[in-house]
């Protein structure tokens, strides 16, 4: 039987990095097994729906390159893949469970149940309490019929039989045992005839032929109910196998990573930015922070999965080749942002200059910079070894696009010496006269110039750097000069000369 897995997010807001990791592991498992990766949107809880969340999920998957084979927005013949578009089909399944004695109608009003909860703090609707509540287990059949015919509001609840051990063989955690006596009688179908997560999830996994359920650890407790549903429906033969992924933990301290940790630590915890109704509900993303999607994939892959070697750099294809559920760890994985940055540096360095130029273009455009391919490719060549984020190309490297706006004063004071004034002037003159303005010719010309005057290159190179970039962090000085061209280089040297004099307090009147 071919592998079919699904990523089944609820569109209740932006999908944080843990959700994307779930999508990634499903994707890898599907690809590894030549199976199918499905996107199902679980939107049965209409109260928690957030407009735009579904589009966000799809865009995040596209950005990371985790493209579903079937699903909302991706076609497929087992659809519709959005649960609200399937809402009419769930009721009959819930009723089928009632018919077979695995579920029952419950007529208790929300007010009555609230009153119960008030009276008894730990009240749950379960095998101990259901006998004293208003449902089809306690009412005579004709009374039940009468209520149903009269259209009295009701829900359908799972009838959990006490005293059973429910064993789940989790592919990551091994044998996990639940005691049915501790489970509540979950609502399956709500009063508005909408299914709850539990019913819709199981019916859809069955109808969509899902073979493996790979999801976050927080769903492990629900699995006990899910197994009872499979039994109730008589679908145990085709019940999927379960794999519950470890939590993603905060960068420091205890507990799982939350969406608030982004603001707290000043780091992205979402794949792409999310614009909520309030600033507190708006988040930046890895994309906006200047990450390459491949770096984010690599980072996420190793947050919970280990390859069994010391290798750390994995392309998506390589991950597909090496991925196995057995190598997913049980214990939580720490969210290490420094590591994410390290991956990004590595991926930027490994990218071709043409690729990087493509990434730099929109950033340059947004700042009104020049955007021709040849120029951006050179910017990539010069800066790629120095940057951590894509945005650094235009932020750190702004001086390749526009005049220097700030000089490193301390460095200028250290390197400048008024005696250099005539030398610097002659140097500018010489460069202005140099016919060939490529890096190699410039370097040869400047070295010769220095030799003729008995100066050490070190005396002037730093000043050239400061002149062109304002900082010592810039790329190799002659590469910069070549890229900027003669006119701009000469202009910058003249401007810098005035600045050097000023900063040294020796400006001539
Ligand atoms: N809709 C659930 C969620 O939001 C899906 C859990 C599952 O994969 O079964 O994560």
């Amino acid at each position: 039987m071919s592998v079919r897995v699904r990523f089944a997010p609820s569109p209740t807001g932006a999908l944080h990095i843990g959700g994307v990791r779930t999508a990634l592991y499903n994707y890898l498992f599907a690809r590894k097994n030549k199976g199918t990766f499905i996107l199902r949107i679980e939107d049965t809880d209409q109260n928690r729906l957030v407009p735009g969340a579904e589009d966000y999920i799809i865009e995040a998957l596209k950005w990371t390159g985790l493209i579903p084979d079937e699903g909302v927005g991706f076609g497929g013949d087992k659809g519709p893949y959005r649960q609200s578009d399937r809402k009419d089909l769930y009721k009959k399944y819930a009723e089928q469970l009632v018919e077979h004695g695995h579920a029952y109608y419950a007529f208790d009003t929300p007010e009555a149940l609230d009153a119960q909860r008030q009276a008894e703090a730990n009240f749950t609707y379960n095998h101990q309490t259901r006998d004293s509540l208003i449902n089809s287990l306690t009412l005579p059949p004709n009374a039940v019929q009468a209520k149903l015919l009269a259209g009295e509001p009701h829900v359908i609840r799972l009838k959990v039989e006490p005293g059973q051990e429910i064993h789940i063989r989790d592919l990551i955690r091994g044998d996990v045992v639940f005691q049915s006596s501790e489970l509540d009688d979950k609502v399956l179908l709500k009063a508005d005839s909408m299914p709850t997560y539990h019913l819709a999830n199981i019916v859809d996994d069955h109808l969509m032929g899902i073979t493996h359920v790979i999801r976050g650890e927080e769903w492990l407790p629900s699995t006990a109910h899910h197994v009872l549903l499979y039994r109730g429906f008589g679908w145990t033969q085709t019940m999927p196998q379960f794999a519950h992924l470890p939590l993603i933990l905060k960068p420091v301290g205890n507990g799982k990573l939350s969406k608030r940790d982004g603001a707290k630590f000043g780091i992205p915890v979402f794949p792409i930015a999310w614009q909520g109704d309030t600033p507190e509900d708006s988040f930046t993303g890895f994309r906006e922070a200047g990450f390459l999607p491949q770096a984010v994939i690599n980072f996420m892959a190793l947050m919970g999965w280990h390859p069994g070697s010391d290798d750390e750099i994995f392309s998506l294809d390589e991950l597909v080749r090496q991925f196995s559920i057995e190598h997913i760890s049980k214990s939580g994985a720490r969210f290490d942002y420094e590591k994410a940055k390290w991956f990004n540096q590595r991926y930027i360095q490994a990218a071709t200059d043409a690729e990087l130029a493509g990434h730099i273009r929109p950033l340059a455009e947004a700042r009104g910079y020049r955007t021709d391919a040849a120029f951006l490719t050179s910017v990539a060549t010069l800066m790629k070894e120095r940057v951590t984020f894509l945005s650094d190309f235009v932020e750190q490297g702004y001086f390749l696009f526009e005049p220097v706006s700030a000089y490193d004063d301390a460095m200028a004071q250290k390197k400048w010496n008024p005696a250099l004034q005539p030398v610097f002037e002659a140097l500018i003159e010489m460069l202005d006269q140099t016919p060939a303005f490529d890096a190699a010719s410039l370097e040869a010309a400047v070295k010769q110039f220095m030799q003729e005057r008995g100066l050490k290159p070190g005396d002037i190179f730093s000043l050239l750097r400061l002149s062109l970039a304002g900082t010592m962090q810039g790329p190799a000085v002659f590469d910069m000069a070549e890229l900027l061209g003669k006119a701009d280089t000469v202009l910058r040297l003249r401007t810098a000369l005035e600045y050097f004099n000023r900063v040294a307090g020796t400006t001539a009147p």
Side-chain angles (χ1 to χ4, degrees):
M1 195 173 42
S2 73
V3 161
R4 289 175 63 82
V5 292
R6 84 304 191 268
F7 174 50
S10 298
T12 53
L15 184 70
H16 101 2
I17 206 75
V20 192
R21 187 197 58 173
T22 301
L24 171 63
Y25 287 11
N26 274 283
Y27 175 93
L28 294 176
F29 187 72
R31 287 288 165 278
K32 168 95 190 189
N33 294 288
K34 311 234 173 321
T36 305
F37 171 54
I38 298 163
L39 170 65
R40 185 170 73 221
I41 297 290
E42 301 209 326
D43 60 347
T44 55
D45 191 348
Q46 298 284 318
N47 296 327
R48 296 184 58 221
L49 273 193
V50 172
E54 182 183 300
D55 289 341
Y56 176 95
I57 291 164
I58 293 172
E59 199 184 332
L61 291 179
K62 285 185 174 164
W63 180 67
T64 45
L66 305 175
I67 308 299
D69 305 300
E70 297 175 20
V72 176
F74 297 95
D77 58 8
K78 293 269 197 299
Y81 294 93
R82 187 186 292 114
Q83 289 184 327
S84 58
D85 294 338
R86 306 166 64 79
K87 63 173 183 284
D88 296 335
L89 71 83
Y90 302 109
K91 190 165 181 236
K92 74 166 194 250
Y93 287 98
E95 281 169 350
Q96 180 186 323
L97 288 177
V98 177
E99 257 166 58
H100 291 97
H102 303 302
Y104 57 91
Y105 297 107
F107 299 95
D108 319 83
T109 63
E111 296 75 36
L113 292 177
D114 278 346
Q116 288 278 359
R117 284 185 201 106
Q118 292 288 325
E120 195 191 330
N122 296 327
F123 171 79
T124 40
Y125 212 119
N126 63 14
H127 67 100
Q128 284 172 319
T129 56
R130 67 192 175 210
D131 292 342
S132 54
L133 292 155
I134 307 167
N135 54 52
S136 58
L137 304 174
T138 55
L139 294 169
N142 54 353
V144 173
Q145 276 313 315
K147 282 180 181 292
L148 291 178
L149 281 175
E152 230 182 76
H154 61 275
V155 302
I156 294 182
R157 284 183 181 272
L158 179 67
K159 185 174 177 227
V160 178
E161 302 295 354
Q164 312 171 56
E165 280 200 334
I166 302 163
H167 289 259
I168 296 156
R169 219 186 67 72
D170 188 273
L171 295 172
I172 297 169
R173 277 144 225 282
D175 200 29
V176 184
V177 188
F178 292 93
Q179 305 297 332
S180 70
S181 308
E182 291 166 14
L183 303 179
D184 61 337
D185 286 0
K186 286 253 180 283
V187 173
L188 302 176
L189 198 77
K190 293 181 277 191
D192 60 2
S193 282
M194 277 296 258
T196 56
Y197 155 72
H198 303 285
L199 176 67
N201 188 271
I202 273 32
V203 168
D204 287 348
D205 280 350
H206 176 72
L207 296 178
M208 294 179 185
I210 300 303
T211 56
H212 297 77
V213 167
I214 304 170
R215 62 184 172 195
E217 181 180 277
E218 63 273 27
W219 299 101
L220 185 58
S222 301
T223 313
H225 284 105
H226 296 175
V227 169
L228 294 179
L229 281 167
Y230 281 104
R231 289 186 193 160
F233 285 123
W235 296 338
T236 47
Q237 289 303 313
T238 54
M239 185 168 85
Q241 289 187 269
F242 294 98
H244 287 92
L245 305 176
L247 291 177
I248 296 182
L249 306 173
K250 290 182 190 301
V252 288
N254 297 326
K256 72 178 210 184
L257 181 75
S258 85
K259 57 185 184 179
R260 305 276 165 233
D261 289 333
K264 184 164 162 206
F265 296 102
I267 56 177
V269 297
F270 291 88
I272 59 179
W274 168 258
Q275 203 54 51
D277 291 337
T278 60
E280 296 76 52
D281 188 39
S282 300
F283 308 101
T284 187
F286 274 88
R287 182 177 67 182
E288 290 68 21
F291 279 83
L292 284 170
Q294 301 91 307
V296 178
I297 289 281
N298 200 149
F299 169 62
M300 287 190 303
L302 294 181
M303 222 170 6
W305 173 80
H306 54 93
S309 71
D310 290 338
D311 297 348
E312 291 193 287
I313 299 292
F314 295 94
S315 65
L316 196 52
D317 286 347
E318 196 51 45
L319 286 170
V320 167
R321 256 192 297 283
Q322 299 213 19
F323 188 75
S324 72
I325 289 191
E326 292 71 46
H327 279 199
I328 295 175
S329 55
K330 290 198 227 349
S331 48
R334 192 162 298 281
F335 183 86
D336 179 356
Y337 186 60
E338 292 307 312
K339 194 78 199 192
K341 280 161 58 178
W342 180 82
F343 278 117
N344 207 41
Q345 282 171 331
R346 296 293 302 264
Y347 275 87
I348 287 178
Q349 284 164 17
T352 66
D353 295 343
E355 253 175 81
L356 292 174
H359 290 296
I360 300 169
R361 179 163 297 109
L363 302 168
E365 220 158 52
R367 294 178 153 230
Y369 289 161
R370 58 186 281 208
T371 56
D372 51 296
F375 180 73
L376 295 183
T377 308
S378 301
V379 170
T381 317
L382 262 55
M383 293 294 296
K384 68 197 279 190
E385 300 294 330
R386 305 182 153 69
V387 301
T388 303
F389 305 109
L390 290 171
S391 45
D392 289 341
F393 281 105
V394 293
E395 286 172 13
Q396 271 182 32
Y398 79 95
F399 50 80
L400 297 176
F401 298 88
E402 57 170 305
V404 171
S405 56
Y407 294 100
D408 178 343
D409 290 342
M411 193 50 83
Q413 269 152 353
K414 188 165 149 208
K415 297 286 176 186
W416 180 249
N417 155 8
L420 287 171
Q421 169 90 13
V423 179
F424 210 76
E425 274 169 2
L427 177 67
I428 296 176
E429 207 47 43
M430 185 278 282
L431 289 173
D432 203 13
Q433 301 303 320
T434 304
F437 223 77
D438 61 281
S441 311
L442 287 171
E443 183 165 3
V446 172
K447 279 192 172 146
Q448 198 194 336
F449 174 92
M450 306 291 292
Q451 244 166 22
E452 284 167 7
R453 281 160 183 77
L455 296 161
K456 292 194 295 304
D459 294 341
I460 215 89
F461 273 30
S462 314
L463 292 167
L464 286 177
R465 246 167 195 283
L466 282 173
S467 305
L468 299 184
T471 162
M472 298 301 287
Q473 312 302 324
V477 68
F478 297 109
D479 290 339
M480 275 195 283
E482 177 181 334
L483 182 66
L484 295 169
K486 187 193 281 188
D488 197 1
T489 300
V490 167
L491 179 63
R492 287 187 189 208
L493 293 179
R494 292 210 166 109
T495 312
L497 180 55
E498 282 176 27
Y499 158 76
F500 292 142
N501 278 314
R502 215 171 37 246
V503 81
T506 56
T507 311

